[in-house]
Amino acid sequence: MSALDLLDDQARSVLDALCAQVAGRPSLVAVLFPAVGRRVARGPGPSGDPTGTLGPTLEDLARIELLRTVVESLPPTDAATEITDLYGYGDADEKRAVLHGLHLLDGTVPEVAETVRDLLADALRTNDTRLVAAAAASGAQSLLDDHAWRQTVLKCLFVGVPLRLVAGLDTRADLELARMCADFAHERSAAGRSVPADTRLVLDRFPEHPFHEGPQEG
């Protein structure tokens, strides 16, 4: 869902004007991107979560439209550079919006794909659940190899991001991920710590294997 589906007429008009400015001069996005919340809209998006953990906020969705304009206005590598700068110089809210918009970049270009992977990796090194969730939910997760993608799942378990948000969970979960989740559950149990119930979203996919046996969530 785009911001245009959720904004009132005045907010849509302001966003259209900002996008037109960026289309005419893409470098302006560096100035306009931080001001989106004040000039366009703030508040929960379709998920209803005002923190942006469970899904993009209105502010995120509006910023994604600016990212879309950048991608449509510049060659792929230049767009990737511009968006990397937005992430690097942005606050947590701006970083989150960039992560939600990474799928707009042309991942078929090797340099762009590498940039996207670097930004996802940076977000997943943090303990900010909003950034981890945005990185995990990104369609750009398809650019990660299986090992890096599994590490995304484990990071979500560590910091408490719901696994249902992870892009590709239904199609990419495999026995190796189940083994990793089982090891995580046993380590938590051995340390006297509760095991996240979300481990079952992976382990129960492989009932014929012993991974799902042992420590129970709680």
Side-chain angles (χ1 to χ4, degrees):
M1 180 177 292
S2 75
L4 301 181
D5 299 315
L6 298 170
L7 300 178
D8 61 31
D9 290 343
Q10 181 178 354
R12 291 175 66 171
S13 177
V14 172
L15 180 57
D16 286 344
L18 296 181
C19 288
Q21 291 182 63
V22 172
R25 186 180 169 192
S27 62
L28 282 175
V29 73
V31 177
L32 300 178
F33 199 73
V36 164
R38 174 174 54 82
R39 297 184 61 178
V40 180
R42 286 192 175 99
S47 72
D49 179 9
T51 73
T53 302
L54 300 181
T57 63
L58 288 179
E59 187 176 351
D60 293 335
L61 292 171
R63 283 181 169 143
I64 288 169
E65 293 305 312
L66 290 184
L67 298 180
R68 191 187 311 278
T69 304
V70 169
V71 170
E72 292 172 350
S73 303
L74 291 173
T77 54
D78 291 345
T81 297
E82 197 72 56
I83 288 174
T84 298
D85 287 343
L86 291 176
Y87 181 91
Y89 292 110
D91 62 18
D93 289 338
E94 292 158 37
K95 290 179 189 293
R96 185 183 66 239
V98 168
L99 293 167
H100 280 303
L102 286 181
H103 66 283
L104 298 172
L105 290 168
D106 187 355
T108 65
V109 178
E111 297 92 334
V112 175
E114 188 61 29
T115 294
V116 170
R117 286 191 285 266
D118 287 344
L119 293 179
L120 290 174
D122 184 85
L124 291 166
R125 282 193 292 268
T126 75
N127 287 319
D128 186 328
T129 54
R130 299 174 306 160
L131 298 187
V132 173
S138 173
Q141 283 284 330
S142 62
L143 297 177
L144 299 186
D145 62 27
D146 289 340
H147 174 74
W149 178 81
R150 293 187 198 107
Q151 292 300 319
T152 297
V153 177
L154 264 292
K155 179 69 176 190
C156 288
L157 285 176
F158 273 114
V159 300
V161 169
L163 292 195
R164 62 181 173 80
L165 300 178
V166 179
L169 188 68
D170 289 339
T171 57
R172 298 187 71 173
D174 57 8
L175 285 173
E176 177 60 14
L177 178 63
R179 182 195 65 76
M180 294 167 69
C181 288
D183 287 348
F184 168 79
H186 282 286
E187 289 171 4
R188 296 271 298 192
S189 182
R193 304 177 67 186
S194 62
V195 177
D198 267 11
T199 58
R200 290 289 177 186
L201 292 181
V202 175
L203 300 182
D204 287 352
R205 294 169 188 268
F206 304 96
E208 71 277 15
H209 290 275
F211 298 134
H212 68 290
E213 300 174 355
Q216 299 294 310
E217 67 273 6

